Amino acid sequence: MLLEKRSIQDVDVGGKKILMRVDFNVPLDEGRVRDDSRIRAALPTIEMLLSKGAKLALASHLGRPKGKHSPDLMMDPVAARLSEILSKQVHKLGVAVGPEVKEAVSKLKDGELLLLENLRFDKGEEENDPSYARLLAEPFDLFVNDAFGTAHRAHASTVGVASYLPALAGLLMKKEIEELSTCLENPRRPLTAILGGAKVSDKINVIRRFLNLADTLLVGGGMANTFLAAEGYNLGASFYEKDQLEEANALLKESKSSSCNIVLPIDLAVTKDLKPGSHSEVVTPDKIKGEWQAVDIGPETAAIFSGYIEESAVVVWNGPLGVYEVPPFDNGTEVVAQIIAQSSAYSVIGGGDLVAALKALELSDYISFISTGGGATLEFWEGKELPGISVLQNKAG
Ligand code: ADP
Ligand code: MG
């Protein structure tokens, strides 16, 4: 994966007509962009290309229109927000392919940009239909992919177009590859991986990867419940995956014969009623009564996690450590994030829910690198080849 990809820094982009795939799949609220983080993440690439005199067309999907035109998923709110951010009018076309695009692109002056319509209005996009990819590519000289969050999908605008245009990494794509690799390839040690979130089954390959790579694996969240159940604890009404007990046991066994230690919670916040501000208690895993459910790590567990984090050179973290959507069960996630913030460890974070949790807790600024990918980040960490990265040109050769 560390095969270095050719990026927009390696070629002359001046005057070139460039199709740039971005991840502008932003949350909307009554026709307005509610969170523009993904738009801002693409700005370094957009600004660099424009300053070097490229003629730029941005393309993204938005939501799940399933191959049909749907008025509420048009890119207009994105164009409006991007215009505000760039302090210049960003013209949005009504289509993503065809003569209208060709004409508009041919009229762009050096350093000007436009936005194409939602790529997924055509079913050729998700089907990676070669004829749709060819149409997409037709008006352009170069293809730049900055949509790391969609790189695990082989679609026309992430993979197909690369058959028709030289394909380069944008600055965000390049940074994601570099940052996510720092914890995979010859990482500085000690390397501590923190894994939380809901399911062992979603993350099995990531757990195994870090078990082979990290010095310590700290486990929290619903995932920890499954490990504790596998160890024989009675978890009352807690969420855990009954069909993953064998897998969890196998992982615990593997950790005994590997150099990576799995650390499970020794205390848990439990509640009978999962509601904001509901009554909760802190108990050891052997004291969870019938109707109670474990919804967060406890303070002693956080203190143990803290000890490992403070000794770490690198911390990589995926998945919240409790039901963060329901305060105060965001507490374990908050405490651990604060410990990371105060430590000297280099921290890399990925996963949709954890990123959202840290944002809500206003702790994002203290993390060294926050990945923009959800599923893409997990697949990268699993060691899978991401099709949208594979098709980019390699630096050597
Ligand atoms: P990410 O998106 O960061 O990879 P996941 O999608 O795997 O994380 O998991 C996030 C979900 O895990 C959240 O909805 C959260 O409520 C849930 N979760 C965390 N801890 C628990 C728990 N103890 N019991 C039930 N659900 C939990
Ligand atoms: Mg999630």
Side-chain angles (χ1 to χ4, degrees):
M1 195 52 92
L2 245 194
L3 236 191
E4 234 194 299
K5 293 295 173 179
R6 187 169 280 156
S7 84
I8 56 168
Q9 290 165 319
D10 305 316
V11 298
D12 180 12
V13 296
K16 297 274 168 47
K17 288 179 265 182
I18 297 183
L19 172 67
M20 176 171 162
R21 177 57 157 103
V22 286
D23 181 3
F24 285 174
N25 182 29
V26 291
L28 297 178
D29 208 351
E30 292 180 4
R32 284 188 58 86
V33 174
R34 180 156 49 81
D35 179 345
D36 62 11
S37 314
R38 285 181 171 164
I39 300 177
R40 291 185 181 277
L43 287 180
T45 307
I46 294 173
E47 279 164 356
M48 180 175 162
L49 290 173
L50 294 180
S51 74
K52 293 201 163 177
K55 303 168 198 266
L56 188 58
L58 304 174
S60 177
H61 74 283
L62 178 62
R64 296 171 186 271
K66 303 220 166 98
K68 288 201 193 79
H69 188 280
S70 48
D72 53 336
L73 291 176
M74 297 199 310
M75 298 298 288
D76 300 67
V78 176
R81 189 73 197 98
L82 184 60
S83 302
E84 281 167 32
I85 295 173
L86 294 174
S87 305
K88 65 172 141 194
Q89 194 59 36
V90 177
H91 181 51
K92 193 221 72 166
L93 304 185
V95 286
V97 295
E100 191 186 327
V101 179
K102 208 163 182 180
E103 197 188 329
V105 169
S106 71
K107 283 188 182 149
L108 286 175
K109 298 200 184 77
D110 290 1
E112 286 186 348
L113 84 164
L114 54 77
L115 178 64
L116 303 181
E117 188 49 279
N118 193 340
L119 291 162
R120 290 193 187 167
F121 284 176
D122 194 305
K123 63 179 173 28
E125 163 64 357
E126 288 181 88
E127 287 171 0
N128 192 15
D129 176 352
S131 57
Y132 183 67
R134 182 131 63 93
L135 278 175
L136 262 177
E138 208 175 67
F140 300 100
D141 305 315
L142 286 176
F143 168 61
V144 171
N145 192 349
D146 220 19
F148 176 77
T150 339
H152 59 318
R153 307 274 181 232
H155 293 167
S157 70
T158 59
V159 168
V161 281
S163 302
Y164 305 101
L165 292 172
L168 308 167
L171 301 179
L172 173 64
M173 178 69 88
K174 186 176 173 210
K175 192 164 171 58
E176 288 274 1
I177 296 171
E178 282 168 4
E179 293 280 351
L180 297 180
S181 301
T182 53
C183 49
L184 299 181
E185 318 218 352
N186 301 317
R188 283 183 293 131
R189 295 186 178 277
L191 168 66
T192 299
I194 310 175
L195 295 176
K199 294 181 177 177
V200 169
S201 55
D202 281 350
K203 312 250 169 103
I204 194 78
N205 295 325
V206 177
I207 304 173
R208 201 155 259 130
R209 184 88 196 268
F210 283 118
L211 194 54
N212 287 308
L213 204 72
D215 299 292
T216 310
L217 208 75
L218 309 175
V219 184
M223 183 188 286
N225 292 349
T226 303
F227 278 101
L228 290 169
E231 287 203 322
Y233 291 108
N234 184 339
L235 287 179
S238 305
F239 165 84
Y240 71 96
E241 289 176 287
K242 292 191 182 62
D243 60 352
Q244 294 296 314
L245 297 179
E246 236 168 82
E247 188 71 72
N249 257 321
L251 289 163
L252 290 167
K253 214 183 244 167
E254 283 169 44
S255 90
K256 295 215 169 76
S257 57
S258 87
S259 56
C260 177
N261 196 10
I262 295 186
V263 179
L264 299 177
I266 57 161
D267 62 345
L268 298 154
V270 295
T271 185
K272 270 204 233 184
D273 188 19
L274 184 54
K275 278 208 285 244
S278 64
H279 172 72
S280 65
E281 293 175 11
V282 173
V283 299
T284 50
D286 58 332
K287 296 264 160 36
I288 304 173
K289 287 173 278 176
E291 299 134 50
W292 293 71
Q293 42 180 317
V295 288
D296 199 5
I297 58 168
E300 287 190 35
T301 302
I304 289 177
F305 283 14
S306 165
Y308 284 103
I309 292 164
E310 276 158 10
E311 298 293 311
S312 300
V314 181
V315 174
V316 37
W317 182 6
N318 165 260
L321 303 179
V323 184
Y324 75 95
E325 301 96 327
V326 189
F329 308 117
D330 53 353
N331 188 54
T333 304
E334 179 172 17
V335 170
V336 168
Q338 275 162 349
I339 293 161
I340 291 174
Q342 285 152 21
S343 80
S344 57
Y346 192 81
S347 49
V348 179
I349 277 182
D353 284 278
L354 178 60
V355 172
L358 296 194
K359 191 167 230 184
L361 292 164
E362 297 183 1
L363 287 166
S364 309
D365 289 349
Y366 301 100
I367 304 301
S368 313
F369 181 73
I370 299 185
S371 177
T372 54
T377 309
L378 286 175
E379 289 195 21
F380 193 97
W381 278 338
E382 282 176 19
K384 271 197 201 154
E385 251 194 60
L386 274 56
I389 295 178
S390 302
V391 296
L392 302 176
Q393 292 186 339
N394 295 320
K395 216 167 182 176

